[in-house]
């Protein structure tokens, strides 16, 4: 009885697969998955792309589905899975279009993961491996950005300037090169100076990094503890004075640390604002071309 049940279940699954494969062509299945992708429903899209691969493993659209699954993981911020999928495709089919696209997007995945050095290496290899590919200029743009995100503004400017005059990305690249050269002019605060000011006068370092609220709190808190400690020792209340001195030491050192940390945060914030502004003005995006391929689109905002 049990064997008959297993056999019946197998036949139902096999027939179900055959019926679905016959009734729903691969193009319709992948079109539905694409519609989910466009809506941002990446994980349902992955399921539908997997369905294409399952029912049509030898169909040309199966490779398209594999690429788009990796793209879904990338868009869904599951970068490790995206990296694994893009790498597998690029290694399996290095001379085919889908393999080249996958290797390019592998670099993009590492870039989004903020592994900028690794991303730059991949894009450099891409340029060396596929010298005639249409994505070469976009790869140079990404190399430049990888340098810039690491604070290597000179290398970034040099990379942006490598784009040939006849490239459609030449004008934006020139703008990025000019923007890179402005990197040293990003407003910064000295962590050492902030800490030194707060060591001399609690709250002064916070005022230096434009945090007046923290400056007032630090000044009043440390001032109150210092006054209370002095008063306690002045009235020969050494035990109380010692306890207050112990706590004041913590507040005083915390005040210095707060100023130093605040200066570092200020520098990171102003750098991020500068880079985000530059990226918003010269943005690269990756789109489908309607035939299973991807395109690089470059937009400028004025």
């Amino acid at each position: 009885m049990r064997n008959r049940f297993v056999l019946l279940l197998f036949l139902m699954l096999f027939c179900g697969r055959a019926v679905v494969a016959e009734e729903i062509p691969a193009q319709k299945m992948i079109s539905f998955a694409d519609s989910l992708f466009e809506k941002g429903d990446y994980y349902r899209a992955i399921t539908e792309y997997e369905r294409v691969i399952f029912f049509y493993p030898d169909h040309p659209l199966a490779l398209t589905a594999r690429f788009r699954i990796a793209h879904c993981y990338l868009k869904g911020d599951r970068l490790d899975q995206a990296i694994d999928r893009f790498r597998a495709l690029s290694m399996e089919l290095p001379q085919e279009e889908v393999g080249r696209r996958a290797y390019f997007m592998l670099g993009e995945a590492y870039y989004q993961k903020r592994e900028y050095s690794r991303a730059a290496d991949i894009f450099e290899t891409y340029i060396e491996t596929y010298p005639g590919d249409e994505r070469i200029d976009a790869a140079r743009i990404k190399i430049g950005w990888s340098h810039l995100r690491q604070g290597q503004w000179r290398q970034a400017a040099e990379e942006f300037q490598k784009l040939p005059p006849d490239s459609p990305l030449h004008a934006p690249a020139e703008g990025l090169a000019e923007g890179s050269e402005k990197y040293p002019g990003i407003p910064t605060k000295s962590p050492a100076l902030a800490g030194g000011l707060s060591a001399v006068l609690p709250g002064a370092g916070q005022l230096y990094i434009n945090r007046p609220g923290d400056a007032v709190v630090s000044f009043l808190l440390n001032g109150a503890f210092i006054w209370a400690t002095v008063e306690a020792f002045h009235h020969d209340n050494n035990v109380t004075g010692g306890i207050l001195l112990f706590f004041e030491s913590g507040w005083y050192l915390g005040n210095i640390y707060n100023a130093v940390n605040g200066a570092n945060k200020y520098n990171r914030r102003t750098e991020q604002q500068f880079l985000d502004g530059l990226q918003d003005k010269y943005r690269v995006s990756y789109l489908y071309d309607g035939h299973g391929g991807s395109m690089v689109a470059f937009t400028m905002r004025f």
Side-chain angles (χ1 to χ4, degrees):
M1 183 67 181
R2 183 177 178 181
N3 291 337
R4 290 181 180 178
F5 176 77
V6 172
L7 179 60
L8 179 62
L9 181 61
F10 174 78
L11 290 173
M12 289 174 63
L13 290 174
F14 178 80
C15 292
R17 174 176 173 177
V19 169
V20 173
E22 181 179 353
E23 292 181 353
I24 307 178
Q27 185 60 58
K28 287 186 177 181
M29 294 171 70
I30 207 163
S31 295
F32 176 59
D34 288 344
S35 69
L36 294 173
F37 179 92
E38 294 300 329
K39 293 175 183 177
D41 195 349
Y42 302 121
Y43 302 115
R44 283 185 63 200
I46 289 172
T47 300
E48 297 304 321
Y49 289 131
E50 292 283 11
R51 194 188 303 272
V52 174
I53 297 169
F54 178 76
F55 286 119
Y56 299 96
D58 299 322
H59 196 285
L61 285 177
L63 289 177
T64 301
R66 289 176 59 188
F67 178 86
R68 295 187 184 179
I69 288 171
H71 203 172
C72 284
Y73 281 129
L74 183 69
K75 298 288 285 186
D77 204 31
R78 294 176 62 177
L79 300 178
D80 288 334
Q81 290 93 327
I83 286 169
D84 290 342
R85 298 278 183 149
F86 284 132
R87 179 183 287 114
L89 270 174
S90 65
M91 293 179 65
E92 182 180 338
L93 304 163
Q95 299 305 319
E96 295 189 25
E97 171 62 14
V98 68
R100 293 196 298 272
R101 284 189 282 122
Y103 195 65
F104 185 93
M105 295 304 289
L106 177 63
E108 176 65 18
Y110 274 113
Y111 180 87
Q112 292 192 23
K113 197 179 178 183
R114 300 185 180 183
E115 294 188 19
Y116 300 120
S117 180
R118 187 71 177 273
D121 289 343
I122 288 173
F123 286 119
E124 288 281 7
T125 303
Y126 187 91
I127 292 171
E128 295 172 1
T129 307
Y130 309 111
D133 192 84
E134 60 183 1
R135 304 174 191 86
I136 292 297
D137 291 344
R140 291 203 182 279
I141 293 288
K142 297 304 294 189
I143 293 170
W145 269 113
S146 297
H147 287 309
L148 197 54
R149 288 288 180 181
Q150 297 176 87
Q152 301 165 352
W153 61 272
R154 288 189 181 87
Q155 294 93 318
E158 290 174 0
E159 200 64 40
F160 293 135
Q161 290 168 352
K162 288 181 181 179
L163 270 74
D166 60 345
S167 169
L169 305 183
H170 178 70
E174 281 191 329
L176 287 169
E178 293 175 5
S180 299
E181 291 171 353
K182 296 177 181 178
Y183 184 92
I186 298 174
T188 59
K189 300 292 184 181
S190 169
L193 180 57
L197 288 172
S198 283
V200 174
L201 178 64
Q206 285 79 356
L207 195 62
Y208 163 69
I209 60 174
N210 301 330
R211 295 171 63 176
D214 289 350
V216 171
V217 170
S218 184
F219 177 78
L220 293 178
L221 187 61
N222 282 276
F225 268 90
I226 291 172
W227 175 81
T229 301
V230 171
E231 284 294 304
F233 282 120
H234 181 71
H235 291 89
D236 296 325
N237 194 342
N238 295 332
V239 175
T240 302
I243 294 173
L244 290 171
L245 180 62
F246 173 79
F247 282 104
E248 167 52 20
S249 298
W251 288 116
Y252 178 75
L253 293 175
N255 146 74
I256 296 173
Y257 173 80
N258 179 262
V260 172
N261 190 48
N264 286 322
K265 287 183 177 180
Y266 176 91
N267 294 340
R268 288 195 296 269
R269 184 171 63 253
T270 54
E271 179 190 40
Q272 190 67 38
Q273 289 171 347
F274 172 81
L275 295 177
D276 288 347
L278 197 60
Q279 183 166 295
D280 286 343
K281 189 172 182 179
Y282 307 104
R283 179 174 292 277
V284 177
S285 58
Y286 304 95
L287 309 171
Y288 287 136
D289 62 7
H291 304 287
S294 63
M295 301 184 297
V296 179
F298 209 101
T299 57
M300 291 182 63
R301 181 170 60 83
F302 296 92

